[in-house]
Amino acid sequence: MKPTLKMLTSAVFAGFTATAAMAEFPDRTIELIHPWGPGNAMAVSQIIAKAMGEELGVDMPVLSVPGAAGTKAQTTAMGKPADGYTVFDGYVAPLVLQPILGNADWDFSEFAPLHSAVSNAFAIGGRTDETRWSTFEEMMAYCQENRGALRYSSGSRNNLPHMVIAKALQSYDCVAQNVPYTQDGNAVKDLKSGVLDFSFINVGNYKSDPSAFNIMLVLSELPGSKASFDGAPTIADLQVDVGLSKLGPMGWTWWIVNPDTPDDVTDALRTAMGAAMAREDVKDAIAKIGFVPLEWDHTQYEEVVGSVQDQLSAMGNALTWEEDELKKLQ
Amino acid sequence: MFETIIGGFDLFFSPLAIALTFAGILIGLLVGALPGLGPLMGIILLLPVAISLPPLAGMGFLISIFVGGSCGGAISAILLRIPGTPIAAATLLDGYPMAQKGEASKAIGIALAASSLGGLVGGVVLIVAAPVLAGFASRFAPPEYTMLAITGLLTISLISEGTFVKGLLACCFGLLLSTIGTDEFSTGYRFTFGSHHMLNGFHIVAVVVGLFAISEMTFQMARDDLMDKPKLEIARPSLKAVVQTLRHWKNLLRSSAVGVFFGSLPGAGGDISSFSSYAVAKSFAKPEEKYGEGAEGGVVATEAANNATVGGTLVPTLALGIPGDASSAMLLGALLILGFIPGPEMFLMQPDFVGGLFLVYMASNVMLFFAGILAAPFFIRVLLIPKAYLIPTILILCCIGTFALQGSVFDLMVMLGFGLIGILFRLAKYPLAPIVLGLILGPILEANLRRSLLISRDGYWIFVDRPVAAALIVIDVVILVGFAVVSVRRWRAAKQSCGLDPHMRD
């Protein structure tokens, strides 16, 4: 009986080994953790995830985990097993800005990049029926005379738009109250209904209802961004010094995974995302929402993200300035 | 309105969405018929499946479970005198006597037809009223949402089973649970105890499965009827039921209106609407109809009302993002997980999806009748399965579903923990639904209250300065004062009936 039992055991073991070897990555759903609430940014991530899922042959649902300027989502994603079945949608705020502000204990270089995804220009916008001002400079003059009277939203608190808007306001010595919203749509709704005085507006918000907004300042120096907002004034036109140039004011995102993910798995994900981002249907769908598809692959991660980190670090903390000035007014 | 519905055609008329709507109806009828389950349990058990599907197919699946489950309870109420769900309790008043007279098939047929037609009336109201309410609410700002959340929490605490104080305490418990996780305003962590599992608070599905399903199964196991097999007549309802039901068309329309009205009120679910519509129908009936002794009109009234309630409940859920009861709170939770924010913005930005939801609701009510007629004998046979087999199956489904949400063992522990809490709450006769509403409405209330105060240049006066918010404050005060007056009167009546002078007591 012994040889037979041994043979049987060996056969079963060999069978299991072969099955394990045949189980190639991915063999189940891959989750993309997105750091913002539902809206245009999430819609764009869903487009890319769908295409990437098609390249990999599995579904890639997008899980929205908003809060804490994206750090909640990033912590959640990095708390998952490093097996490639969790990908993080790494926007500037959680990846670079929050560590600079001391709200996160990681560095962007600690993660394994897959590919750049999209960038999204944004602007400061008001209502078209506003009677108190019509240009950004008029609004700043009003703000200087009425310190702390204006209400604005940058979407989430301590995100990139908040940092850049606070910096722009600081350069005019304008103190205004930031009101956080987890869904951009609600901030836009409250701007339209007169509850907010101005708000950050991304291209998607603008394109969905251009006649509703008076775009006063595009927070980018790039000509493409100016064109996205139908020629509205940019920080370059008004010579507003926010300390950012080129890539800085663009709210880009890189998809990243846990650095302990096996190399072959990371490579499979990189290949699939690269293929998805190269597809014309994907590019068209992203452009329709008002975002710009990016072509940087993982080899350019350090160069691109590193330069933005340097710029943001050099900007100084406009958020602390805003907070301190508001406290003085209380 | 028509553009919204036409826009939903592409989303709804896909094989997957239609098949899942039909499957949802069958599952809803099944969980409704089985005593102790019901539409809420059906939604809870299948939510993990639904959120992994394309959005409209997933929501169609859940909405049709809600629709089917709201009718399925009538089958066991008529045949066993045991309502499968509390919302079918009023149906047994006339349904069971009909079965005793050998008219079980007719009673089930009328229940299916009345449910289906009542649900369609509720659907018409949903399609007409929800966009109007959403349009009106598009001017709502944080102060209005703050007051709406308070109104919702107050009414569910008042109307839910048990005393007002217990309802309010259960609601506060839900509110406290909602504070766990990351504070959106300060970006700080609250009650997370250094665990990244707690950064988002507890997953709503794990909490609800624990509170409702685990506690219910525990109580079912404690009974001594695990292997009981009831003696049943295998009824075979026919399509003639539509004609039999339409003979009571005035009753049908009136009861549907009562159902829609109660459905649209936060906290007032199908059980209140079915008993109310029964009372109204009985008061309008002629003596020879003999309500309580097997009157067809009694079954028409209760079943039309409890399915119309579903349509009514969806009005504030979809238009305002304020759920009316625990089942619609779960639907709202599913919408959020799937990436949709119920409220005016959804009607503005995703009208096709809203149209798809309307179509799903209407189609599920049509399917309800035909699926019910065809599959009634099967559901009746399911009632013969002993609980000893059903309970372990449901518990396994609870565990698989909860684990599958995020592949997290932590969620399983949360489920079991809240199972224990659910058992304790039930033993102490505290209602469970206010906990879920507190958990869902808590973040809406907190965020909008804090946002209102940031926006305000005049502190709390922002709630008085804005007309709608001020009107809601008045409504809340009237609710509280009215309830206090009724409570004092009841207390005095109770004391007087005991022969005591309430003034002497203190």
Side-chain angles (χ1 to χ4, degrees), chain A residues 141-324:
Chain A
Y142 181 94
C143 182
Q144 284 163 4
E145 287 173 22
N146 301 275
R147 288 174 72 80
L150 300 186
R151 304 288 182 261
Y152 78 97
S153 181
S154 56
S156 297
R157 195 180 175 89
N158 289 355
N159 57 1
L160 186 67
H162 190 188
M163 177 82 153
V164 176
I165 292 174
K167 186 70 184 171
L169 300 185
Q170 187 185 14
S171 68
Y172 281 86
D173 194 28
C174 161
V175 183
Q177 175 68 58
N178 178 272
V179 183
Y181 285 78
T182 42
Q183 280 95 37
D184 298 349
N186 285 336
V188 170
K189 179 172 73 68
D190 283 354
L191 172 69
K192 286 180 181 173
S193 66
V195 172
L196 296 174
D197 299 297
F198 63 98
S199 179
F200 109 103
I201 304 291
N202 62 32
V203 181
N205 301 140
Y206 176 68
K207 297 275 184 200
S208 68
D209 192 7
S211 61
F213 302 108
N214 170 22
I215 301 298
M216 293 180 281
L217 184 67
V218 179
L219 292 157
S220 171
E221 293 177 344
L222 299 178
S225 302
K226 187 180 174 77
S228 298
F229 286 103
D230 296 330
T234 67
I235 50 174
D237 297 335
L238 298 188
Q239 296 182 322
V240 180
D241 179 21
V242 293
L244 292 169
S245 61
K246 293 183 180 174
L247 305 172
M250 308 280 281
W252 48 244
T253 172
W254 282 78
W255 288 15
I256 58 175
V257 291
N258 191 308
D260 298 330
T261 308
D263 289 345
D264 58 333
V265 170
T266 307
D267 286 343
L269 291 167
R270 280 174 178 161
T271 307
M273 188 168 177
M277 292 306 301
R279 278 168 46 173
E280 289 304 319
D281 59 328
V282 173
K283 288 180 185 175
D284 289 347
I286 292 170
K288 268 186 192 168
I289 300 179
F291 283 57
V292 180
L294 297 176
E295 293 173 354
W296 303 313
D297 68 15
H298 68 279
T299 59
Q300 294 160 285
Y301 177 72
E302 293 271 344
E303 177 196 345
V304 174
V305 184
S307 69
V308 171
Q309 186 185 41
D310 294 343
Q311 287 182 33
L312 287 172
S313 303
M315 275 174 75
N317 199 339
L319 301 178
T320 309
W321 172 83
E322 181 185 86
E323 208 169 302
D324 291 344

Side-chain angles (χ1 to χ4, degrees), chain B residues 251 254 276-287 289 291 301:
Chain B
N251 179 2
R254 193 172 50 228
S276 302
S277 65
Y278 184 81
V280 173
K282 195 176 174 180
S283 69
F284 275 91
K286 294 168 188 161
E289 288 187 60
Y291 269 60

Side-chain angles (χ1 to χ4, degrees), chain A residues 31 37-40 42 46 59 61-69 71-73 75-76 79-80 98 103 132 148-151 156-158 177-183 185-186 188-190 192-197 208, chain B residues 51-52 137-143 145 181-189 196-197 199-201 335-341 344-345 348-350 405-408 447-448 450-458 462 466:
Chain A
E31 196 170 61
N40 290 324
M42 187 166 166
Q46 282 168 329
D59 282 336
V62 180
L63 180 67
S64 163
V65 186
T71 54
K72 185 161 76 171
T75 312
T76 303
K80 301 267 180 156
Q98 294 310 306
N103 297 330
R132 294 170 292 178
L150 300 186
R151 304 288 182 261
S156 297
R157 195 180 175 89
N158 289 355
Q177 175 68 58
N178 178 272
V179 183
Y181 285 78
T182 42
Q183 280 95 37
N186 285 336
V188 170
K189 179 172 73 68
D190 283 354
K192 286 180 181 173
S193 66
V195 172
L196 296 174
D197 299 297
S208 68
Chain B
I51 59 177
S52 62
S138 65
R139 305 293 285 186
F140 283 10
Y145 279 103
T182 310
D183 171 21
E184 303 300 337
F185 284 68
S186 68
T187 64
Y189 301 138
H196 79 271
H197 292 298
L199 288 179
N200 295 328
L335 277 170
L336 291 172
I337 294 170
L338 287 166
F340 294 88
I341 312 282
E345 281 290 294
L348 195 65
M349 305 304 290
Q350 290 134 337
L405 289 170
Q406 307 184 91
S408 163
N448 283 295
R450 293 172 73 180
R451 214 169 273 144
S452 301
L453 294 175
L454 283 176
I455 291 165
S456 173
R457 293 162 180 90
D458 206 10
I462 192 170
R466 297 181 64 89

Side-chain angles (χ1 to χ4, degrees), chain A residues 102-159:
Chain A
N103 297 330
D105 58 0
W106 55 72
D107 186 90
F108 75 89
S109 58
E110 294 170 14
F111 305 103
L114 301 183
H115 199 282
S116 58
V118 291
S119 75
N120 182 19
F122 55 87
I124 292 175
R127 287 181 300 282
T128 44
D129 60 357
E130 179 61 70
T131 54
R132 294 170 292 178
W133 55 74
S134 60
T135 66
F136 183 72
E137 284 166 322
E138 286 172 13
M139 184 172 79
M140 289 299 98
Y142 181 94
C143 182
Q144 284 163 4
E145 287 173 22
N146 301 275
R147 288 174 72 80
L150 300 186
R151 304 288 182 261
Y152 78 97
S153 181
S154 56
S156 297
R157 195 180 175 89
N158 289 355
N159 57 1

